[in-house]
Amino acid sequence: MVQETLEEPTYSVKLTDVAVAKVSDLLKAETPGLALRISVQPGGCSGMRYQLYFTDEYAKVLTKMLAEREDEGFAEEDDEETAAQRAAMAREKESVVWFDRFAVVIDKKSGPYLSGAEIDYADTLMKSGFTIDNPNAQGSCGCGDSFS
């Protein structure tokens, strides 16, 4: 895991090896540059709800950041769209955490709720999906979809 700092503060989450493999597998069929966005929104029975989804909001700059990471820092000058996306990420204080060949993006409002959380993927007879073990949650509902 490598954390990119666009502007302070940055927040980080952990993904288990199983979760990284599942996200990587899901992204194989998608357009390059997609990122996993993890956020917290009001709602659910306990007051706050996790949201995990793929976004192409910063596809150009994240694709370039990945190339820069793989080329050990070699960077060409940003084109206009890439520069605009990089500036938007900095302005919005987005945190970017790299796993394998994909990025997880966390917005500044969700960061304090998610900092230190561990995301896993379970696939059993009874349930399949991502689970979040969050040290910041004081309680959660029975279904595990929301927290307080």
Side-chain angles (χ1 to χ4, degrees):
M1 173 183 73
V2 175
Q3 185 163 338
E4 294 285 337
T5 304
L6 294 171
E7 191 164 313
E8 293 297 331
T10 58
Y11 301 99
S12 184
V13 295
K14 300 172 190 141
L15 269 68
T16 65
D17 291 342
V18 174
V20 169
K22 183 61 177 179
V23 173
S24 294
D25 187 49
L26 291 169
L27 285 172
K28 283 180 185 175
E30 299 295 334
T31 307
L34 286 183
L36 177 64
R37 161 115 23 221
I38 303 173
S39 67
V40 173
Q41 300 294 322
C45 10
S46 293
M48 303 295 279
R49 173 173 286 173
Y50 299 110
Q51 290 190 329
L52 283 78
Y53 58 94
F54 293 120
T55 179
D56 64 355
E57 182 178 8
Y58 301 116
K60 292 242 347 173
V61 72
L62 291 174
T63 300
K64 184 170 183 192
M65 289 168 80
L66 178 61
E68 290 169 353
R69 289 179 63 239
E70 291 178 345
D71 291 342
E72 299 177 12
F74 173 74
E76 296 176 10
E77 190 173 323
D78 286 350
D79 63 23
E80 192 173 311
E81 185 178 359
T82 305
Q85 287 182 5
R86 192 180 300 271
M89 288 182 84
R91 183 177 55 254
E92 296 298 322
K93 297 182 180 171
E94 301 279 13
S95 293
V96 178
V97 185
W98 288 96
F99 296 91
D100 194 20
R101 295 183 44 84
F102 68 89
V104 172
V105 179
I106 304 168
D107 65 85
K108 67 181 176 186
K109 291 180 183 175
S110 300
Y113 295 105
L114 293 168
S115 190
E118 181 176 87
I119 300 169
D120 194 12
Y121 184 81
D123 190 8
T124 67
L125 288 173
M126 299 293 289
K127 178 181 174 181
S128 68
F130 290 96
T131 60
I132 300 175
D133 181 17
N134 189 344
N136 303 305
Q138 295 176 351
S140 64
C141 64
C143 66
D145 188 43
S146 66
F147 70 99
S148 60

